[in-house]
Amino acid sequence: MPSRPEPSDGPVVETDRGPVRGVRRDGLLIWRGIPYAASTAGEARFRAPRPAAEWAGVREASDYGPVAPQLRRGQFIGAAAHLPRSEDCLSVNVIAPDARAGSRMRADGEGRPVMLFLHGGAYSVGSSGEYPRQGEALVRRHGVVYASCNYRLGALGWLDLRAYSTPGHPIEANLGLRDQLAALEWVRRNIRAFGGDPGRVTLFGESAGANSVTTLMTVPAAEGLFSGAIAQSSPANAVYPAEVAQRWAHEYVRILSRLVDDDDLDSEAPYDAARMLRAADPMLLARATTELAVRTPDENPGTISLAPVIDGEFLPERPLDAFKAGRAHRVPLVIGTNDREGSLFEGRIGILPTTKPRIRAIFANTKKKARKRIKRQYPGLPERRPAADFGGDFTFWYPSVKLAERHSRFAPTWFYRFDAAPATARLLGLDATHGLELFALFEKSDTPVGRALTLLGGRRMFREVGLRMQERWVAFAAAGEPAGRPGGEGDGCLAWPRYEEERRLTLVFDRLDRVEADPRRERRIAWQRFVPHV
């Protein structure tokens, strides 16, 4: 049984805002809920993050900070109902090895490699404390410094509401991205005090968090704030022009005005709408966010209404265009997807283009011959299984392939596919679906979901795959190259070659890891003729 933390014996670290006291536990030093920016409530709502206030005395940092306002039950399952929600949610957590307990990876003169994780949740739910022990095994086993953060979600962070600005209350775009940038800046200023090397910061994330990673790689203000990036299942093309995002904003305001039930409020008048947006309870904003997000897959198939926006300033252009032109930050990149990304979204979470009308809509700008060639890659479409694979490939796999091939022209790039799935996942028809690799990477087999996934077998296999994945990620964070330990093919270390357009060598994580040249080549070639519809 893990020992209980001892706050009185907690390590105190001086940050640029004031000292914080964490806890010691099982060979780790843990700090939670450290403000990296000020509250975004009140006059700060819909504004770029501002510096946190300094504090006097030692601030206790043993508990996670409040989660961003979100519903527990909506389109996705949000943070547990008992967790406090607040617009004062911009906090960071740090886990470091306890030098008194020893560590496998010794810090050099500059400190330990740092890994900053951005959580997923479709930009509407989730938090850095969703799995309270996440990152601990990674630090204990490999001696890195692990950091995570909360950022604004829903309309508060991912809708472009600039049309409702007023001279006295301006509104900015890409607030969630700006929060993440502020967290990176906090890491640059403070992580050395926690034993980390500010020159070796790997930014990594999954799903929406991975989309944040690939998008931040094209945000000019993020240049120099991270030395490497890992994108796990990034919907890399889910970034939209301002005119598209603003249509969603207007629809959101109409939804919100109905929920507010104020007959005197004219939602078409910018000032009144601005007043409503500023005054509405944050949980009411979350309700309106969910209603908008639920409608989007049918009203605007193949899009996600909560997403970064090409605002021409903070985010100047579509990320895939920036990668093509070599204007993305030229840092080493590991990117990949899971074998069957779309299977998770069958049924209740129906956000992918998996129905006839949705599929027809996303082909609006693609020629008939090209449409037919793509559809032939999914025999039986739009039956349930091929439709799920089609939607997953459209959303996650193909954009990741395009991004990898473009980035590989300018910077070291490695591509992977995660195929390992325990027996329960295969029995349920999920296979290696969206998000499954997180249970391997972060050793979550002892969580309720993890136990269910491995109940019918495969726990040892899954754990071993996760350990090999950890080795790759940590090696990448430490030296910029995802070398691994022996164990992939039996004898020696399985080399993971760089991804280049000529051969497209891809590491497949499975019971036995392997390297494949251009996996699913025919499918990739078919998708090359696809033309985005937005």
Side-chain angles (χ1 to χ4, degrees):
M1 179 177 295
S3 59
R4 295 180 61 83
E6 300 177 14
S8 61
D9 188 37
V12 175
V13 166
E14 189 73 38
T15 75
D16 61 347
R17 302 286 88 184
V20 292
R21 188 197 328 272
V23 296
R24 280 189 167 88
R25 184 175 63 205
D26 302 331
L28 301 176
L29 306 178
I30 301 170
W31 297 265
R32 292 171 170 169
I34 306 171
Y36 67 81
S39 172
T40 62
E43 294 297 310
R45 180 181 282 184
F46 301 122
R47 301 300 310 276
R50 302 174 183 180
E54 296 184 4
W55 53 81
V58 177
R59 183 187 182 104
E60 294 297 332
S62 57
D63 296 321
Y64 287 107
V67 303
Q70 59 191 271
L71 298 186
R72 172 60 174 170
R73 298 200 176 276
Q75 189 178 33
F76 303 93
I77 298 177
H82 71 275
L83 295 177
R85 282 124 164 95
S86 172
E87 290 181 81
D88 189 5
C89 63
L90 302 186
S91 63
V92 65
N93 319 293
V94 180
I95 309 173
D98 188 345
R100 301 191 314 191
S103 172
R104 176 177 170 180
M105 179 184 288
R106 298 294 179 184
D108 58 22
E110 297 300 317
R112 302 175 186 275
V114 180
M115 302 181 73
L116 174 61
F117 182 73
L118 301 179
H119 71 80
Y123 293 132
S124 63
V125 299
S127 77
S128 59
E130 184 173 3
Y131 293 95
R133 307 299 290 272
Q134 183 163 293
E136 292 186 12
L138 196 65
V139 175
R140 185 178 295 110
R141 192 179 301 280
H142 300 286
V144 297
V145 172
Y146 173 88
S148 59
C149 65
N150 287 345
Y151 53 87
R152 276 174 280 186
L153 300 173
L156 291 167
W158 301 97
L159 281 182
D160 183 7
L161 294 161
R162 288 176 295 169
Y164 302 97
S165 285
T166 65
H169 296 90
I171 292 176
E172 289 145 318
N174 287 312
L175 295 170
L177 276 179
R178 293 174 189 266
D179 294 345
Q180 294 163 353
L181 180 73
L184 279 164
E185 291 172 336
W186 184 93
V187 168
R188 170 58 59 92
R189 296 193 308 270
N190 292 286
I191 206 64
R192 192 184 301 279
F194 296 86
D197 180 356
R200 286 190 295 171
V201 176
T202 295
L203 183 65
F204 75 127
E206 185 268 343
S207 194
N211 187 34
S212 296
V213 170
T214 52
T215 304
L216 284 165
M217 290 179 71
T218 67
V219 170
E223 186 172 10
L225 291 177
F226 51 96
S227 57
I230 301 173
Q232 300 170 211
S233 304
S234 172
N237 214 24
V239 181
Y240 303 106
E243 58 270 22
V244 174
Q246 286 169 10
R247 288 202 302 268
W248 286 323
H250 295 321
E251 180 63 22
Y252 177 81
V253 167
R254 282 192 287 271
I255 293 169
L256 181 62
S257 64
R258 175 172 50 77
L259 295 178
V260 168
D261 195 26
D262 184 347
D263 293 336
D264 297 326
L265 187 64
D266 179 6
S267 64
E268 299 302 323
Y271 175 77
D272 287 338
R275 175 168 60 86
M276 176 182 66
L277 288 165
R278 293 196 313 272
D281 183 272
M283 294 307 294
L284 191 65
L285 295 176
R287 280 180 56 197
T289 297
T290 296
E291 186 169 331
L292 175 68
V294 167
R295 291 161 57 165
T296 300
D298 288 311
E299 294 180 356
N300 299 273
T303 63
I304 303 168
S305 51
L306 301 174
V309 57
I310 304 161
D311 60 12
E313 182 183 350
F314 184 80
L315 181 58
E317 60 186 323
R318 187 185 293 267
L320 282 176
D321 292 340
F323 279 99
K324 183 177 182 179
R327 287 189 287 269
H329 306 315
R330 298 186 180 186
V331 299
L333 171 68
V334 169
I335 186 169
T337 60
N338 294 356
D339 179 35
R340 298 194 60 229
E341 291 280 353
S343 62
L344 179 70
F345 299 92
E346 294 181 49
R348 193 180 71 85
I349 314 177
I351 66 173
L352 303 187
T354 54
T355 65
K356 276 186 178 180
R358 294 181 187 181
I359 294 169
R360 188 182 307 118
I362 71 166
F363 281 131
N365 296 330
T366 302
K367 292 183 178 180
K368 184 176 181 180
K369 186 176 180 180
R371 292 200 304 267
K372 287 186 174 180
R373 187 172 184 178
I374 293 172
K375 289 179 179 179
R376 281 199 297 270
Q377 298 298 315
Y378 306 90
L381 192 70
E383 293 174 6
R384 188 166 181 171
R385 183 181 177 96
D389 290 337
F390 173 88
D393 286 356
F394 166 80
T395 306
F396 302 104
W397 172 71
Y398 183 62
S400 294
V401 169
K402 292 299 293 181
L403 192 150
E405 71 179 31
R406 293 175 177 185
H407 194 58
S408 71
R409 300 167 190 167
F410 305 99
T413 303
W414 291 266
F415 201 86
Y416 76 87
R417 193 180 76 212
F418 187 87
D419 281 18
T424 305
R426 297 199 182 280
L427 182 66
L428 293 173
L430 293 170
D431 303 310
T433 192
H434 186 71
L436 186 68
E437 88 287 1
L438 292 176
F439 287 86
L441 177 66
F442 289 121
E443 301 185 49
K444 296 180 181 178
S445 293
D446 289 330
T447 65
V449 175
R451 285 193 294 270
L453 285 169
T454 57
L455 183 64
L456 299 179
R459 176 177 291 234
R460 179 177 178 181
M461 175 277 295
F462 202 58
R463 180 175 184 274
E464 290 177 350
V465 172
L467 293 178
R468 295 198 299 272
M469 199 173 194
Q470 282 185 10
E471 291 276 354
R472 302 282 190 181
W473 272 213
V474 169
F476 180 77
E481 187 164 345
R485 65 181 174 86
E489 284 187 325
D491 294 325
C493 179
L494 177 63
W496 186 357
R498 290 185 184 181
Y499 189 83
E500 296 172 345
E501 289 178 88
E502 182 177 356
R503 299 187 65 195
R504 300 176 184 271
L505 297 173
T506 300
L507 178 67
V508 180
F509 288 103
D510 207 341
R511 184 177 299 274
L512 290 178
D513 298 345
R514 62 189 184 276
V515 172
E516 293 187 10
D518 200 4
R520 296 173 179 167
R521 178 176 182 274
E522 290 301 317
R523 189 176 293 187
R524 176 187 61 78
I525 291 172
W527 275 102
Q528 294 278 24
R529 298 293 182 180
F530 175 77
V531 180
H533 61 304
V534 290

